Amino acid sequence: MLNKFLFKYIDNSSLIVFRIIFGFLCFAESVGAIFTGWITKTLVEPKFTFTFLGFEWLQPLPGNWMYIYYAIMGVFGLLIMLGYKYRFSAFMFFIMWCSVYFMQKSSYNNHYYLLVLLSGIMVILPAHKYASLDVKLNPKLKSIAMPAWCKWIFVIQLFILYTYAYKAKFYPDWLDLSVPSSLMQGKINYPIVGQFLQNSFMPYLVGYGGILFDGLIIPMLLFKATRRYAFFASIFFHLFNSFIFQVGVFPYLSLAFCLFFFKPETVRNLFLKGKELYTKSEIIVPSYKPILVSLGCLYFAIQIVLPIRHHFIQDSVLWTEEGHRLSWRMMLRSKSGYTNFKVVNTSTNKTTPINLTKYLTKKQIRSVNYKPDFIWQFAQYLKTEYKKKGEDVKVYVSAQVSVNGKPHKHLIDEKVDLANVKWNFFSHNDWILPSN
């Protein structure tokens, strides 16, 4: 049964077309970061970069080198699309994208994380076996089929993603439409559609429409009777998200995933009319099956565990942010706050209030104002900066935060010297005050 599910050969039209779209979107994401000014604001202008914890050694290249870095990533995206030196190109894009992903988190977005996973998956897939320059240069590579696991790895990944996105919306502030209403109010200045988005039915569409879409889209795409309706719902949902929430290539990647749910002949007839259709349905079990199955189980076990880790950490993830990232918690809350840092010299007890604007960009300050890990990292940075001046210091923080428009409450224990406490990666940091 397992052999048939994973190693039965099927037509590879969906994977070939997905590779072409995926490569183009990798190119668009990389080049778009240059021309929209994203690199300037996120990696060039900041004096200090908030990396993922544990990745402090990953820092932006100096001067204008990050523009060149992204341009090279864009080239690798094009090479993936064209299928030239495919394995190498896909691997290099994966490594470069992972590096910039862990290099900064001020602009954290779930689609960046998805691209990390997808670029890694694409390295191992035989996506260059048709309609590629690799095949043109070496015809022996040509194949019109692939093992079924190449399809199911996408389906299972998407099912996990949407299931957790669906599950995360079942909390009071989403169900009473507070968060969807806030999201729409934030778009009031949009040209043409801004006023329309303030219509009373929009929070219901975003709130309960989002729940229904996330919970039903994969099952509906899997069944022939509902596939067409699910596909049209996907087009509306993802284009709406692209225009209103401006989440980069994520909506278009999500639409491209639909290729794996339609019949191979449908995909071939639409995109690869000259391609022969594979119909043999052979089952070929490779000698490395135990390794492949073990690695697949490990990968998906991690994907299942990561999004629920916050349940094993004290207090609400909405308040502490502990366990928020890598868990498909998409646009679930609105937070604001204000933070005051003070540095105390351990020898003289001289107290120096910190002007955040001298150290951080506006975007970074927004995160420092309500995210505990940003607050801790900045305290560590201040300690290092003062040490360069020959001063040993303590750093104390006063922070008040509002979640989803509720009254501001104290977030940080003001008596704790954050410059000299360690960050707990796998448990609650008790200097974060309780949400209640």
Side-chain angles (χ1 to χ4, degrees):
M1 184 68 178
L2 182 64
N3 287 344
K4 184 177 181 180
F5 179 74
L6 295 177
F7 302 111
K8 175 184 174 181
Y9 270 63
I10 58 176
D11 187 89
N12 65 357
S13 297
S14 56
L15 181 60
I16 301 305
V17 177
F18 183 81
R19 183 207 83 222
I20 295 169
I21 296 173
F22 176 78
F24 174 77
L25 291 176
C26 289
F27 166 76
E29 182 73 23
S30 302
V31 174
I34 298 173
F35 291 104
T36 60
W38 185 91
I39 295 175
T40 304
K41 294 176 183 176
T42 308
L43 299 172
V44 177
E45 290 181 347
K47 297 177 182 178
F48 167 66
T49 305
F50 290 94
T51 67
F52 274 67
L53 295 175
F55 289 87
E56 291 78 13
W57 51 274
L58 268 177
Q59 292 295 321
L61 298 173
N64 292 321
W65 280 100
M66 287 310 299
Y67 299 106
I68 297 172
Y69 184 100
Y70 266 78
I72 293 172
M73 271 207 308
V75 170
F76 282 125
L78 285 179
L79 295 179
I80 292 170
M81 181 181 76
L82 297 172
Y84 181 69
K85 302 289 183 183
Y86 172 74
R87 300 282 190 196
F88 175 76
S89 300
F91 178 74
M92 288 305 298
F93 183 87
F94 169 64
I95 293 298
M96 294 183 75
W97 184 261
C98 284
S99 295
V100 292
Y101 177 75
F102 291 112
M103 188 185 294
Q104 68 81 33
K105 59 187 178 186
S106 297
S107 294
Y108 176 82
N109 194 307
N110 278 284
H111 88 259
Y112 297 160
Y113 174 45
L114 179 64
L115 201 49
V116 166
L117 301 179
L118 288 181
S119 57
I121 289 171
M122 290 298 286
V123 173
I124 66 172
L125 296 181
H128 61 312
K129 295 295 184 77
Y130 191 87
S132 71
L133 290 179
D134 283 350
V135 167
K136 191 173 184 64
L137 295 170
N138 183 8
K140 291 181 181 179
L141 284 175
K142 184 177 179 180
S143 175
I144 60 171
M146 65 181 182
W149 65 264
C150 296
K151 164 189 172 179
W152 289 111
I153 195 170
F154 288 106
V155 175
I156 297 170
Q157 179 67 72
L158 284 177
F159 181 72
I160 292 171
L161 185 162
Y162 281 114
T163 298
Y164 280 121
Y166 162 80
K167 174 183 172 295
K169 290 180 175 67
F170 282 89
Y171 84 100
D173 288 354
W174 187 275
L175 296 176
D176 70 9
L177 302 179
S178 298
V179 176
S181 296
S182 176
L183 289 172
M184 292 300 97
Q185 288 167 11
K187 311 301 178 185
I188 191 170
N189 293 322
Y190 270 29
I192 303 175
V193 299
Q195 289 300 322
F196 174 75
L197 295 176
Q198 308 312 306
N199 196 293
S200 59
F201 79 87
M202 288 305 299
Y204 289 91
L205 177 66
V206 172
Y208 290 104
I211 289 174
L212 289 173
F213 183 87
D214 291 343
L216 297 175
I217 188 60
I218 300 303
M220 288 182 69
L221 282 170
L222 283 170
F223 289 100
K224 182 180 178 181
T226 54
R227 186 172 299 137
R228 180 178 296 181
Y229 304 107
F231 178 61
F232 287 121
S234 291
I235 293 174
F236 173 79
F237 180 83
H238 291 302
L239 291 183
F240 178 86
N241 282 347
S242 178
F243 180 69
I244 301 301
F245 298 115
Q246 299 175 9
V247 286
V249 301
F250 178 67
Y252 306 99
L253 267 178
S254 299
L255 286 174
F257 285 133
C258 293
L259 290 163
F260 295 101
F261 295 90
F262 284 93
K263 289 182 177 181
E265 51 264 41
T266 302
V267 177
R268 185 204 63 168
N269 292 340
L270 284 172
F271 301 103
L272 300 168
K273 291 185 178 180
K275 180 180 177 293
E276 181 183 351
L277 184 68
Y278 178 83
T279 57
K280 292 181 181 179
S281 299
E282 300 171 292
I283 297 176
I284 304 174
V285 181
S287 59
Y288 52 84
K289 170 191 170 183
I291 298 174
L292 185 65
V293 172
S294 298
L295 289 176
C297 290
L298 176 62
Y299 171 79
F300 284 117
I302 293 171
Q303 287 300 302
I304 290 169
V305 170
L306 274 179
I308 62 173
R309 69 193 188 280
H310 66 86
H311 290 295
F312 301 94
I313 301 175
Q314 182 181 328
D315 214 331
S316 168
V317 64
L318 288 168
W319 177 251
T320 69
E321 299 281 320
E322 295 167 318
H324 171 77
R325 298 183 188 91
L326 316 183
S327 61
W328 311 119
R329 300 180 60 80
M330 307 183 208
M331 295 184 292
L332 286 175
R333 78 280 196 265
S334 170
K335 298 179 76 172
S336 63
Y338 47 91
T339 307
N340 293 308
F341 286 75
K342 66 178 180 181
V343 170
V344 179
N345 187 296
T346 56
S347 300
T348 65
N349 283 326
K350 178 185 177 182
T351 298
T352 305
I354 298 299
N355 182 351
L356 294 180
T357 60
K358 291 183 178 180
Y359 297 90
L360 304 173
T361 66
K362 289 182 180 180
K363 189 167 191 174
Q364 289 177 320
I365 291 173
R366 284 198 295 271
S367 291
V368 166
N369 278 339
Y370 69 85
K371 295 178 180 177
D373 59 325
F374 277 73
I375 292 171
W376 179 84
Q377 277 183 294
F378 187 58
Q380 302 300 305
Y381 172 74
L382 289 173
K383 178 184 178 180
T384 302
E385 288 299 295
Y386 273 82
K387 193 170 185 178
K388 291 177 183 177
K389 303 175 187 178
E391 294 186 51
D392 186 25
V393 299
K394 299 177 181 179
V395 180
Y396 297 97
V397 179
S398 171
Q400 294 200 40
V401 172
S402 167
V403 180
N404 297 334
K406 293 180 173 59
H408 286 77
K409 295 188 292 185
H410 287 283
L411 176 68
I412 305 297
D413 186 341
E414 297 179 21
K415 298 177 181 178
V416 174
D417 170 18
L418 292 187
N420 293 291
V421 295
K422 293 185 180 297
W423 179 267
N424 293 321
F425 286 89
F426 304 107
S427 60
H428 177 62
N429 292 275
D430 56 14
W431 45 266
I432 302 174
L433 296 173
S435 59
N436 59 0

